[in-house]
Amino acid sequence: MRIDIITVLPELLESPLNHSIVKRARDKGLADINIVNLRDFTTDKRRTVDDYQYGGDAGMVMMIEPIDKAITYLKSQRDYDEVIYTSPDGEVLNQKTANTLSTYQNLIILCGHYKGIDHRVREHLITREISIGDYVLTGGELAAAVITDCVVRLIPGAMSDNESALSDSFQDNLLAPPIYTRPADYKGWKVPEILLSGNEAAIDQWQMEQSMERTKRLRPELYQCIMHNA
Ligand code: ADE
């Protein structure tokens, strides 16, 4: 899978996408993550990517021309499944979307900045808008890193133990059960007895009950959804 991230702040994306599972997926050649500096597609000496808003409101707007040039250049190299714009207006990212995106070959993610982008980009060049939650970030880079991280870890082979993706929270709309490691007793805070029992069927049953209970208590709207679909 290839992900091209178009940004005015390439440095912001370096560290988040160079560690742990994402780094390993890149090293193994499972994910080719390419950071594209939008300023490389400007033509003026100052490498301008933004301008004042028509209508006089405060806040700079990202110009259509460099964005169009960057996307057109990338599209001349290969076909893309989606051209994503990171925006608080978009569909809110969830595990289902991450699963779907992880099956794609090539993605472009355009990071928003300043007050936003010229609306014609959204009308003519973007195929999907994704938000990472109902709050406003300074720019789309952290959102692009979040999207890339949760997608790349799902590519088959990215994780050493594929089982661990299947048992993630949200994979079946349930929160994950509590997990523990040694010591079994720390300052009198004990690991639940059942996990030490070696009885796999009983452990599975306990974990399922814990998942249901935690989902009902912590995310009642998710729980309603599961009950509705059951
Ligand atoms: N850009 C600014 N805020 C954002 C958000 N919540 N999600 C995605 N992109 C954003």
Side-chain angles (χ1 to χ4, degrees):
M1 173 183 213
R2 179 179 170 120
I3 304 179
D4 288 279
I5 306 177
I6 305 173
T7 172
V8 288
L9 288 174
E11 308 81 21
L12 250 184
L13 284 156
E14 263 155 35
S15 178
L17 301 176
N18 267 317
H19 295 279
S20 186
I21 296 171
V22 178
K23 179 176 181 346
R24 231 185 307 135
R26 295 177 85 170
D27 291 347
K28 284 191 203 165
L30 297 170
D32 183 4
I33 301 170
N34 182 38
I35 312 294
V36 179
N37 189 340
L38 185 62
R39 292 188 199 279
D40 292 345
F41 293 87
T42 55
T43 44
D44 64 317
K45 222 164 86 191
R46 292 184 55 240
R47 308 200 343 137
T48 311
V49 290
D50 61 326
D51 206 339
Y52 294 101
Q53 271 188 71
Y54 278 124
D57 281 350
M60 303 298 274
V61 177
M62 286 171 77
M63 298 156 75
I64 191 168
E65 194 179 351
I67 296 173
D68 183 32
K69 283 192 169 141
I71 293 175
T72 302
Y73 169 72
L74 291 171
K75 283 184 172 172
S76 73
Q77 304 296 304
R78 64 197 68 78
D79 290 333
Y80 285 90
D81 299 282
E82 298 276 18
V83 181
I84 296 167
Y85 172 53
T86 56
S87 158
D89 307 354
E91 57 176 295
V92 178
L93 181 65
N94 58 26
Q95 195 64 32
K96 186 162 177 265
T97 304
N99 284 336
T100 305
L101 295 178
S102 75
T103 65
Y104 292 161
Q105 273 305 302
N106 299 311
L107 293 175
I108 292 175
I109 306 179
L110 170 66
C111 303
H113 245 279
Y114 312 109
K115 193 79 187 167
I117 52 174
D118 187 306
H119 199 70
R120 288 166 292 186
V121 173
R122 299 166 80 164
E123 287 174 331
H124 301 288
L125 301 173
I126 297 298
T127 61
R128 192 159 185 173
E129 301 198 7
I130 296 182
S131 163
I132 61 161
D134 291 339
Y135 42 82
V136 179
L137 300 164
T138 307
E141 284 73 16
L142 297 179
V146 167
I147 296 166
T148 304
D149 183 298
C150 73
V151 168
V152 166
R153 66 195 294 282
L154 295 171
I155 299 172
M159 280 185 269
S160 45
D161 177 1
N162 246 340
E163 274 290 287
S164 59
L166 297 175
S167 58
D168 280 345
S169 277
F170 302 117
Q171 256 331 338
D172 44 13
N173 267 336
L174 283 173
L175 301 187
I179 54 172
Y180 303 86
T181 186
R182 288 185 295 179
D185 185 340
Y186 180 72
K187 293 184 176 172
W189 303 331
K190 296 200 171 79
V191 171
E193 238 2 274
I194 184 90
L195 296 177
L196 313 175
S197 69
N199 182 340
E200 272 183 42
I203 291 172
D204 284 351
Q205 171 74 22
W206 179 85
Q207 287 176 327
M208 180 48 76
E209 284 164 12
Q210 288 288 319
S211 282
M212 298 288 268
E213 188 280 320
R214 285 173 63 75
T215 310
K216 189 174 178 183
R217 179 164 48 87
L218 300 170
R219 297 292 303 272
E221 80 292 356
L222 267 185
Y223 188 76
Q224 283 304 321
C225 207
I226 302 160
M227 289 299 125
H228 188 72
N229 294 330

